[in-house]
Amino acid sequence: MHRLTAAACLSLGLLCSPASAQVADLVDKNSFRVCADPANLPLSSQEGAGFENRIAALLSEKLERPLAYTWFPQVIGFVRQTLTAGKCDVVIGAPQGDELVLNTNHYYTSTHVLVTRSDSDLSDVTTLADPRLQGRRGGVVAGSPVTTHAARRGMMKFAKPYDLMTDRRVENPAGDMLRDLREGVTDFALMWGPIAGPMAKEFPELKVTPLVEETGTPRLFFRITMGVRAGEIEWKHQLNSLIRRNQAEIDAILRDAGVPLVDDYGKMLKAPG
């Protein structure tokens, strides 16, 4: 299974940290304990406004256990300081193939997107191969998978890079990218869909186009799972069952948030229902 680099994880709003020793059999039977970043909107926030917060609340209700959070910024050491340390029992968003956690079945698949202004001549662009993107200034997250595709097409000469390694409590590169796009500093932005989609919902002048036509490596779509500790197979199976039984409600939360959902192979938008 492909292992995500730290750069790829960060471009997804996640963070990989150094591998840690296995810790098992620590799942709390009386509460649903979640590890989360307190300032990582649109995914999670201490106020409960992120779509991962809403999914956590749904699962807590289905388990009939009160929801309890351990808050920690998704910087180096996140998994080690929270999940592996036994302070919580699940990370709601973990890319499939991340070796730092035991992955559940994936509960959604999304992809990187192209964000443009709705009144722009680029608003109907669907692929990075479109010649209209040449010579235009695009916002990119340095080190993210989609930036490699942009570089391959010679688009980096005019690109404006935004920081990858950030603490969302004090910095907001995704918000900066969308602000620059709205103000005309850039002509388009290349972003991870679950971050761009929900944030762009606040601005009707922006259009989000999933990049489902791209070929070559690295792939731009990722299957997102929940992460548990290594060895906790029974807990993983319990969560798999919860995901399966409540997939429609999970999809509804994601769609309502503005997350672009694609099929398992990143080739087309996932049909509703």
Side-chain angles (χ1 to χ4, degrees):
M1 183 68 69
H2 176 68
R3 180 178 181 180
L4 293 175
T5 64
C9 287
L10 276 169
S11 80
L12 308 184
L14 305 167
L15 184 70
C16 297
S17 58
S20 303
Q22 176 176 318
V23 179
D25 302 323
L26 296 176
V27 177
D28 191 317
K29 307 300 183 184
N30 299 310
S31 62
F32 184 55
R33 302 190 306 164
V34 175
C35 329
D37 190 315
N40 196 26
L41 287 174
L43 284 77
S44 66
S45 76
Q46 196 159 353
E47 296 70 35
F51 63 81
E52 289 185 352
N53 296 118
R54 294 176 61 190
I55 292 170
L58 171 68
L59 299 186
S60 171
E61 177 186 348
K62 300 300 181 181
L63 283 168
E64 298 183 339
R65 299 180 191 173
L67 179 58
Y69 277 105
T70 291
W71 301 109
F72 196 90
Q74 287 208 9
V75 294
I76 293 174
F78 173 75
V79 172
R80 175 173 51 82
Q81 295 285 348
T82 58
L83 184 67
T84 304
K87 297 178 181 178
C88 46
D89 301 314
V90 63
V91 178
I92 295 297
Q96 189 178 70
D98 186 348
E99 296 178 4
L100 301 178
V101 299
L102 177 63
N103 296 108
T104 66
N105 293 342
H106 66 282
Y107 66 95
Y108 77 96
T109 304
S110 193
T111 189
H112 284 75
V113 299
L114 171 72
V115 189
T116 57
R117 292 185 296 278
S118 300
D119 61 357
S120 164
D121 64 315
L122 302 178
S123 63
D124 62 341
V125 170
T126 60
T127 172
L128 299 184
D130 194 304
R132 286 176 289 175
L133 294 175
Q134 293 298 319
R136 308 295 286 271
R137 193 171 199 201
V140 299
V141 177
S144 65
V146 71
T147 301
T148 301
H149 287 253
R152 187 180 298 129
R153 298 190 181 281
M155 298 163 60
M156 296 304 293
K157 179 179 178 181
F158 302 98
K160 180 177 180 180
Y162 295 80
D163 288 341
L164 183 66
M165 298 292 290
T166 61
D167 184 336
R168 284 293 309 280
R169 294 171 297 181
V170 295
E171 295 182 85
N172 185 12
D176 294 342
M177 291 178 78
L178 295 184
R179 183 200 63 224
D180 285 348
L181 177 58
R182 299 196 319 274
E183 295 178 355
V185 176
T186 55
D187 299 306
F188 63 91
L190 299 176
M191 304 175 68
W192 171 233
I195 294 176
M199 294 183 74
K201 274 190 68 176
E202 301 179 21
F203 307 103
E205 67 271 29
L206 298 181
K207 181 179 180 182
V208 176
T209 303
L211 292 171
V212 295
E213 299 180 23
E214 303 307 310
T215 58
T217 57
R219 62 187 171 92
L220 298 184
F221 69 95
F222 293 88
R223 300 173 187 132
I224 304 302
T225 75
M226 298 178 194
V228 302
R229 280 178 290 273
E232 294 183 335
I233 304 299
E234 183 178 345
W235 177 226
K236 169 187 170 178
H237 289 165
Q238 187 174 0
L239 289 173
N240 283 343
S241 180
L242 274 176
I243 292 168
R244 183 179 65 255
R245 296 197 310 269
N246 298 285
Q247 187 66 66
E249 290 182 72
I250 292 172
D251 284 356
I253 290 171
L254 294 167
R255 291 185 190 280
D256 181 67
V259 176
L261 302 180
V262 298
D263 69 8
D264 288 348
Y265 301 97
K267 298 300 183 184
M268 64 182 67
L269 294 179
K270 181 179 178 179

